[in-house]
Amino acid sequence: MAKKLVLVVDDEESVRQFLYDVLTDENYRVETAVDGRECLEKLMKLKPDVLVTDIRMPEKDGFSLLEQIKSAGLNTPVILMTAFGTTEVAIRATKLGAFDYIVKPFDLDEFLSLVQRAAAQTETVATFQPQDQIDEPGGINMIGSSPAMQAVYKDIGRVADSNATVLIQGESGTGKELVARAIHYNSSRRNKPFIKINCANLPDSLLESELFGYEKGAFTGASSSKVGKFEVAHEGTIFFDEIGEISLATQAKLLRAIQEKEFDRVGGTTTIKVDVRILAATNRKLKQSVMEGGFREDLFFRLNVINIVIPPLRERREDIPLLVAHFLAKYNKEFNRQVRGFSEGATKLLMSYDWPGNVRELENVVERAIIMARGSIIVPEDIEIATAEKKQLFDPGSPGEQNLPLKQIVADVERQVILRALEENNWCRTTAAKALGINRRSLYAKIKELGIE
């Protein structure tokens, strides 16, 4: 891999020389400039991977230089150096698009780590191509071309035009509501109401009146009559999200409404008939709840006429690039950002993670990364995922390998841990040593001892 080029700008010769020595020791190519004018000349000519510049300089300060670089459309990541770490400096540097800033006198390892992360912005980047979008009614965007999702689309197509009750099952965050909306907006009821009820968010005391409405004086505070969701959804679709959360008492009343398409308002005596289609979703295993007595068997069978199961994201990893591209475009537009894509390390992290929160978690991670990214490329440090879910640093090996001498086992483990740290830190020994909690000299000695090239 070609050495990365760093351009250092400072009006003090001692600072330029110090940073030149430090960076060349870390295997960077280094050019220097004494002021903003010379910096712009070298920037256009050399196109460095990273620009490190002081803020306070004669003629053109670091902020003016940064503004000029951004207005010229240059994507060079800029690290600002300042002797004043004030709130104003921090906010202004961030708003102007600096990759980061560092306060003098700074810790050398921190500085080198910052340069290494900034240099990663010019690495090969995965931009992810979004799949062609069709403007679906209701603003539905179902993303995925994997065989598992193709099967879901086919199920939606088969059941949409019927009036059959559908039970949608899947883990939290898989997109159960999207499936329900897709069924409704592809049915003959598409121009009628789609009413969603989140059963988990309503206490049982309120759920019945929310579903069926109530008459004036039915309970304390009922100063007037209220129409329930079933009446509002007449001729349309009613979607029960997290249906497994409702109590047995409400389940009995819901069963009548679904089965007979009729109900009484709370405190009322007149039976009201409605024409509604029922869709329900749950992340619970309802069959198990039935066996345990927590869910009525008759209601389960009434809901489970058609069953659609949405696969978790870990079982359709090939859809991750499409989803990431969709969220990248969405949040670039929403936050007025120009993030181009993900570094190789960040891409590997996205593809290897198991996503216990599924598509919802992926969207949250991409949204945060776009907001927090210091440059136009998202690197692993910008991605916040649960470390408990990450893979172990090394594979303990097969049982047969446990017959090796203890010294050899320890050396093999050390080698794997050090190699992983070096890989994750772009082979920068300084940041790898920091990640391992040892000093650079100790790491160099171990690299030599273990024969790591």
Side-chain angles (χ1 to χ4, degrees):
M1 184 184 292
K3 293 181 179 180
K4 299 285 187 178
L5 174 61
V6 181
L7 177 58
V8 175
V9 188
D10 200 295
D11 57 325
E12 293 186 29
E13 183 180 356
S14 59
V15 175
R16 294 196 306 273
Q17 188 61 49
F18 172 70
L19 294 180
Y20 179 92
D21 293 341
V22 166
L23 291 167
T24 51
D25 283 347
E26 290 294 322
N27 212 26
Y28 290 101
R29 290 184 295 130
V30 184
E31 288 283 340
T32 62
V34 299
D35 55 30
R37 180 190 57 77
E38 186 181 4
C39 168
L40 288 172
E41 290 176 1
K42 290 193 172 183
L43 194 66
M44 301 300 292
K45 180 181 177 181
L46 301 173
K47 293 184 170 51
D49 297 290
V50 182
L51 171 62
V52 179
T53 178
D54 193 22
I55 289 181
R56 291 203 170 184
M57 295 185 295
E59 296 185 21
K60 189 184 293 292
D61 65 17
F63 286 131
S64 301
L65 184 60
L66 180 57
E67 286 179 319
Q68 201 162 345
I69 289 169
K70 295 301 177 183
S71 64
L74 299 174
N75 291 319
T76 308
V78 179
I79 298 172
L80 296 171
M81 298 182 293
T82 177
F84 307 95
T86 63
T87 304
E88 181 185 357
V89 168
I91 294 174
R92 190 176 178 191
T94 303
K95 289 182 72 174
L96 288 175
F99 179 79
D100 210 331
Y101 74 96
I102 193 164
V103 180
K104 299 176 181 178
F106 46 74
D107 177 80
L108 190 55
D109 285 342
E110 180 186 354
F111 171 74
L112 291 172
S113 175
L114 198 56
V115 172
Q116 181 262 323
R117 293 202 302 274
Q121 297 290 303
T122 55
E123 292 177 0
T124 303
V125 56
T127 54
F128 297 133
Q129 294 300 313
Q131 75 180 55
D132 293 335
Q133 293 292 312
I134 300 172
D135 291 331
E136 293 282 353
I140 301 162
N141 282 316
M142 296 193 70
I143 309 295
S145 58
S146 63
M149 286 307 294
Q150 292 296 327
V152 171
Y153 302 153
K154 290 175 184 177
D155 286 343
I156 293 170
R158 291 188 187 102
V159 306
D161 254 342
S162 72
N163 281 319
T165 302
V166 181
L167 179 63
I168 306 162
Q169 292 183 284
E171 296 177 6
S172 292
T174 49
K176 297 185 289 295
E177 183 180 342
L178 277 180
V179 171
R181 289 183 180 276
I183 292 171
H184 171 75
Y185 286 108
N186 284 281
S187 74
S188 58
R189 298 173 181 262
R190 66 178 66 89
N191 295 320
K192 299 298 182 179
F194 176 88
I195 303 298
K196 175 191 172 183
I197 298 172
N198 192 321
C199 303
N201 287 350
L202 287 170
D204 200 52
S205 57
L206 294 179
L207 186 58
E208 185 180 351
S209 59
E210 191 73 16
L211 292 177
F212 307 124
Y214 54 81
E215 297 292 354
K216 181 179 179 180
F219 50 81
T220 303
S223 56
S224 61
S225 298
K226 180 185 176 182
V227 174
K229 299 296 187 184
F230 264 93
E231 286 180 81
V232 175
H234 181 58
E235 296 186 334
T237 302
I238 190 165
F239 170 53
F240 294 94
D241 197 11
E242 303 304 343
I243 190 78
E245 304 301 320
I246 62 176
S247 70
L248 288 168
T250 305
Q251 286 176 35
K253 294 173 182 176
L254 180 59
L255 176 64
R256 178 200 170 199
I258 294 174
Q259 190 164 295
E260 306 297 336
K261 300 291 175 68
E262 63 181 33
F263 60 89
D264 299 332
R265 288 181 184 170
V266 177
T269 56
T270 304
T271 298
I272 300 170
K273 288 189 173 290
V274 289
D275 170 22
V276 294
R277 184 181 189 175
I278 306 296
L279 306 177
T282 181
N283 59 11
R284 284 192 176 193
K285 296 179 180 178
L286 283 191
K287 278 188 178 180
Q288 186 175 335
S289 295
V290 169
M291 294 172 63
E292 294 171 352
F295 201 84
R296 291 179 62 108
E297 185 177 40
D298 47 5
L299 178 57
F300 171 72
F301 286 124
R302 178 58 61 181
L303 293 171
N304 198 37
V305 177
I306 302 291
N307 185 265
I308 296 178
V309 179
I310 310 176
L313 190 54
R314 63 182 174 275
E315 292 179 7
R316 56 180 185 108
R317 293 180 192 272
E318 60 267 49
D319 288 334
I320 291 175
L322 294 174
L323 289 160
V324 169
H326 173 71
F327 298 139
L328 194 63
K330 174 182 176 180
Y331 291 111
N332 264 336
K333 182 179 180 181
E334 183 172 329
F335 302 131
N336 194 26
R337 300 296 301 273
Q338 288 83 41
V339 175
R340 294 190 293 121
F342 292 71
S343 71
E344 185 179 345
T347 302
K348 186 185 292 185
L349 186 56
L350 292 176
M351 295 299 292
S352 62
Y353 184 55
D354 276 344
W355 300 107
N358 293 293
V359 178
R360 185 184 296 124
E361 182 184 11
L362 176 63
E363 179 172 6
N364 291 342
V365 166
V366 173
E367 179 184 5
R368 181 192 180 280
I370 289 170
I371 294 170
M372 302 304 291
R374 304 179 191 185
S376 61
I377 306 300
I378 290 173
V379 295
E381 291 80 6
D382 298 322
I383 296 174
E384 187 173 283
I385 56 178
T387 54
E389 296 296 330
K390 291 181 181 177
K391 293 183 177 179
Q392 293 181 347
L393 282 176
F394 57 89
D395 184 348
S398 62
E401 292 175 328
Q402 295 174 7
N403 294 324
L404 293 171
L406 178 61
K407 185 177 180 180
Q408 182 64 52
I409 294 172
V410 172
D412 286 347
V413 170
E414 282 186 327
R415 181 183 178 85
Q416 290 181 61
V417 171
I418 290 172
L419 278 170
R420 178 61 61 88
L422 287 166
E423 288 172 358
E424 289 183 348
N425 289 279
N426 239 13
W427 294 87
C428 176
R429 291 166 293 181
T430 300
T431 51
K434 191 173 183 180
L436 291 167
I438 60 177
N439 60 47
R440 281 186 292 166
R441 288 187 179 180
S442 298
L443 179 59
Y444 294 164
K446 279 292 179 185
I447 289 173
K448 186 175 181 181
E449 176 188 334
L450 298 169
I452 297 173
E453 296 182 0

